[in-house]
Amino acid sequence: MEQQPAASIFLALQESALGHLMRSSPALYPAVEILHILGFVVLVGSILALDLRLLGWGRAIPIAPMAKLLLPLSRFGFGLAISMGFLLFSADASHVVRNPAFQAKLLLIAAALVNVVIAHAGPWRRVALWRDEAPAGAKVSALVSLLLWLGAVCAGRLIAYL
């Protein structure tokens, strides 16, 4: 039976020097996994705080300065989580890519990123004009964001069990 080209890409990654290194080092995989977790903790924690503020919690904190603090943190967390996630993926790519929880995680992350683009192209363009409350469009985006990012975390955790 002939391998499909996409499957061979994942097998090649898994069998690469990187994949072998991730599987063979007793300390590397756990260290990378810890960094991956720290990345998504920073990412989702900062997003959670900002989205809850947009939904009306913590009205004493102005939205614009809070966003100025938390958005760079979320970008840093995303970069760390994605880069470490790729390293983890390389250890068993041909198997993990077929895992429905992994597939769901990727779809949820992609949808969350689309939500970010829509939010920043729409309601966030006028953030300087917001008073103490975010407009309805920003609230909808915040609620969608919460659901998608928390769903991605849950799906990611389920990878080990499916």
Side-chain angles (χ1 to χ4, degrees), residues 4 8 18 28 33-34 41 52 60 65 68-70 88 95 104-105 114 124-125 130 133 140 142 147 149 159-160:
Q4 295 179 352
S8 65
L18 177 62
L28 185 59
E33 188 165 26
I34 288 168
V41 164
L52 289 175
K68 190 174 181 180
L69 170 69
L70 294 178
L88 295 171
H95 177 261
K105 177 182 177 176
V114 168
W124 274 96
R125 287 191 348 206
W130 298 356
E133 189 169 335
V140 169
L147 295 172
W149 287 114
I159 292 170

Side-chain angles (χ1 to χ4, degrees), residues 39-162:
F40 73 70
V41 164
V42 171
L43 167 67
V44 176
S46 59
I47 288 171
L48 178 70
L50 185 56
D51 286 346
L52 289 175
R53 173 59 190 93
L54 294 175
L55 291 169
W57 294 19
R59 291 179 195 264
I61 304 168
I63 294 170
M66 187 175 187
K68 190 174 181 180
L69 170 69
L70 294 178
L71 290 176
L73 277 175
S74 68
R75 286 190 287 273
F76 171 78
F78 182 76
L80 184 60
I82 288 294
S83 58
M84 295 301 110
F86 177 77
L87 294 176
L88 295 171
F89 178 70
S90 72
D92 195 20
S94 67
H95 177 261
V96 173
V97 75
R98 295 188 310 258
N99 186 307
F102 178 76
Q103 294 168 358
K105 177 182 177 176
L106 291 185
L107 286 172
L108 289 163
I109 291 170
L113 292 174
V114 168
N115 185 56
V116 167
V117 169
I118 291 169
H120 285 272
W124 274 96
R125 287 191 348 206
R126 303 177 64 96
V127 68
L129 302 176
W130 298 356
R131 297 245 181 221
D132 296 333
E133 189 169 335
K139 288 181 178 183
V140 169
S141 177
L143 182 59
V144 169
S145 171
L146 282 174
L147 295 172
L148 291 173
W149 287 114
L150 293 175
V153 168
C154 293
R157 189 62 202 118
L158 290 174
I159 292 170
Y161 300 102
L162 298 181

